[in-house]
Amino acid sequence: MSRLFAAGERVLLVDNRRRRHLVILVDGGQFHTHAGIIAHDDVIGHVDATTVRTTRGARLTALRPTLAEYVLEMPRGAQVIYPKDIGPILMLADIFPGARILESGVGSGALTSALLRAIGPTGSIKGYEIREDFAKRAIENVHGFLGTDVPLDVEVRDVYEGIDEREIDRVVLDLPEPWRVVKHAADVLVPGGIMLAYLPTILQVGRLKEELSSAPFSMIETIEVLHRSWHVEGQSIRPDHRMVAHTGFLTVARHLADEPQTTSGGE
């Protein structure tokens, strides 16, 4: 049976033009829109995907936000990584249940939330964020969607100065100069571990590739994800006039094991 909406829960209110509003439900609260007012009590106690009406008769649908919807509507400190890139990041970095992840540049917590859902309760994420306000916002956003019982520890510090953790499965970076982290990542990643960096410009990608190529990393790959939706209505079927094109480049590399020690032959 579907869980009922409760006070304190986030709900997405969607109107007939697909405009979306992320609201925290409060007993006795109200949501004001140009089409009238919705009482929170008309949502609390009802199932997901309930239709509610404003005081002026307008219809809105009350939905539990998906993670993708939450990312697009949640409060922001830093710019978020968008859902079109988050999905490929989870696959390229092979995020698995129980993984130990070092994430630097947690920003507003969008990618962090997706990583946490993928690793489950047996994994862990250590976050490094240089700005305290961004770290605070990211933690609030993660807790707002996933709750407070998540294996996340965010520390305000500069990853360029080093990484204290050891035996890390994945290093995920969203910062301007990831090449400065390559040496540190090589020191802490397990053999076969993966480093992934999200970068906005191809010149940054080139600099990162140079550093990775001179370090114990291989299988270096860079991709760009383009997202194009389609208009489908009756016989009118065509690509939408607008698309989400460039947002960033994803560069991934595998950490190599140390070279085996050789011994000279002879009696």
Side-chain angles (χ1 to χ4, degrees), residues 9 56 75 94 128 133 147 180 212 242-243 266:
E9 189 173 356
R56 296 173 56 186
D94 190 38
Y128 286 8
D133 56 336
R180 297 174 60 186
L212 287 168
R242 301 178 63 184
M243 67 179 289

Side-chain angles (χ1 to χ4, degrees), residues 67 70 112-114 116-117 141-150:
L67 178 55
Y70 182 72
T112 311
S113 297
L116 283 165
R117 288 219 305 192
N141 283 336
V142 168
H143 290 173
F145 189 79
L146 297 176
T148 58
D149 188 20
V150 289

Side-chain angles (χ1 to χ4, degrees), residues 7 49 52 71 74 81 91 94 98 114-115 165 167 169 175 181 190 192 211-212 220 224 236 242 258:
V52 292
V71 164
M74 70 185 188
I81 295 180
M91 294 299 292
D94 190 38
L115 293 171
E165 285 64 38
E167 296 296 304
D169 297 304
L175 33 75
V181 186
V190 299
E211 194 67 29
L212 287 168
I220 304 166
E224 177 186 23
S236 175
R242 301 178 63 184
D258 293 334

Side-chain angles (χ1 to χ4, degrees), residues 45-62:
H46 291 271
V47 297
D48 194 3
T50 293
T51 298
V52 292
R53 290 186 178 273
T54 70
T55 52
R56 296 173 56 186
R59 295 161 58 96
L60 284 87
T61 304

Side-chain angles (χ1 to χ4, degrees), residues 149-227:
D149 188 20
V150 289
L152 171 66
D153 179 28
V154 178
E155 189 175 342
V156 178
R157 61 175 292 174
D158 187 349
V159 72
Y160 296 152
E161 296 178 357
I163 299 172
D164 290 341
E165 285 64 38
R166 290 295 182 268
E167 296 296 304
I168 295 295
D169 297 304
R170 306 290 185 259
V171 171
V172 180
L173 307 172
D174 178 16
L175 33 75
E177 300 178 319
W179 50 88
R180 297 174 60 186
V181 186
V182 169
K183 181 180 182 301
H184 305 317
D187 289 339
V188 304
L189 277 168
V190 299
I194 295 175
M195 172 177 161
L196 183 142
Y198 176 88
L199 286 167
T201 76
I202 199 64
L203 293 179
Q204 291 169 296
V205 172
R207 179 67 183 85
L208 174 59
K209 174 67 182 299
E210 290 177 2
E211 194 67 29
L212 287 168
S213 297
S214 63
F217 286 93
S218 69
M219 300 178 68
I220 304 166
E221 178 185 9
T222 296
I223 71 165
E224 177 186 23
V225 180
L226 307 179
H227 180 108

